[in-house]
Amino acid sequence: MNNVQWTSMAGMAVGIVLGVVGAFGGFGAFLLVLGLGVVGFLAGRIAETGEVNVLGLSLRRK
């Protein structure tokens, strides 16, 4: 269980939620949920690390 990619699973969950909201709530609700998700993500990063390092979020690993 230690090898689970939590960021991938969280991304999949967010994608499913956005898809359901887009299907049933329309485009305005989709944008609202997407915007609030970004705000929540940034608040979580600030609470966890004390800063937001956008460059650390890239897919390329050295």
Side-chain angles (χ1 to χ4, degrees):
M1 188 83 177
N2 290 334
N3 294 332
V4 175
Q5 296 288 333
W6 290 109
T7 54
S8 298
M9 295 201 42
M12 182 180 66
V14 168
I16 291 170
V17 169
L18 287 175
V20 169
V21 168
F24 294 109
F27 188 69
F30 173 80
L31 290 178
L32 178 67
V33 171
L34 181 64
L36 291 175
V38 169
V39 169
F41 172 76
L42 292 175
R45 290 289 289 188
I46 290 171
E48 181 180 339
T49 62
E51 64 181 359
V52 176
N53 184 5
V54 179
L55 297 177
L57 298 176
S58 67
L59 295 176
R60 286 190 291 179
R61 301 286 181 192
K62 292 181 181 181

